[in-house]
Amino acid sequence: MAEEILADRQQIVTLDSKRNKTREAVRAVQRDNSSHKVWLCFGNLFLKMPKPTAKKLLDTDYNELDSQIDKLHKTLKSKVNKLRDMEDKEELKGFNLNPLSKEETRALGTLL
């Protein structure tokens, strides 16, 4: 179980690095004003494609990486809880917290 947790954490780091590189590529495509086509590298393959198509592909890739990272985060929480149960330790407090939604944040902002 501990090995699975460490492997998942390493995979999250790897996917996050890919996601950051994809985000950088999206920004580079947006800032490039020199031409209507851009070069993209997919593995060992370089492709020249129109900017809108390239941006759409990069956005899709970014969203896919984001969903994979979210999935790993969710499974990681349950694996950590299982490991703590096996070790006869208490469940981590504050580990299952979720961020506030946009509506909750706005409501909180109006109260303060």
Side-chain angles (χ1 to χ4, degrees):
M1 183 62 64
E3 291 175 5
E4 289 178 20
I5 291 171
L6 291 174
D8 284 352
R9 285 184 178 171
Q10 182 59 42
Q11 190 173 5
I12 288 171
V13 168
T14 303
L15 289 173
D16 191 46
S17 174
K18 288 180 183 179
R19 182 176 61 175
N20 285 337
K21 288 178 184 178
T22 303
R23 181 180 42 80
E24 290 172 8
V26 168
R27 295 295 299 150
V29 167
Q30 287 175 344
R31 281 183 278 159
D32 183 28
N33 295 327
S34 61
S35 65
H36 296 287
K37 290 191 175 187
V38 292
W39 285 96
L40 289 180
C41 177
F42 291 103
N44 294 331
L45 182 65
F46 282 91
L47 300 171
K48 189 172 187 176
M49 59 181 58
K51 276 187 188 180
T53 306
K55 186 177 179 322
K56 185 177 178 182
L57 282 173
L58 290 170
D59 284 338
T60 304
D61 193 31
Y62 182 86
N63 291 335
E64 179 64 31
L65 288 169
D66 204 30
S67 67
Q68 287 178 359
I69 290 171
D70 287 342
K71 243 188 255 183
L72 281 172
H73 276 297
K74 289 176 184 174
T75 59
L76 187 63
K77 288 179 182 183
S78 64
K79 287 179 182 179
V80 168
N81 283 335
K82 282 183 188 177
L83 179 64
R84 291 190 66 82
D85 284 343
M86 285 187 220
E87 294 174 342
D88 291 327
K89 293 184 179 178
E90 288 184 24
E91 191 173 304
L92 291 174
K93 294 187 179 7
F95 193 64
N96 291 323
L97 297 176
N98 293 322
L100 294 175
S101 67
K102 289 181 182 180
E103 294 82 25
E104 292 170 332
T105 306
R106 278 190 222 120
L108 187 61
T110 59
L111 290 175
L112 299 176

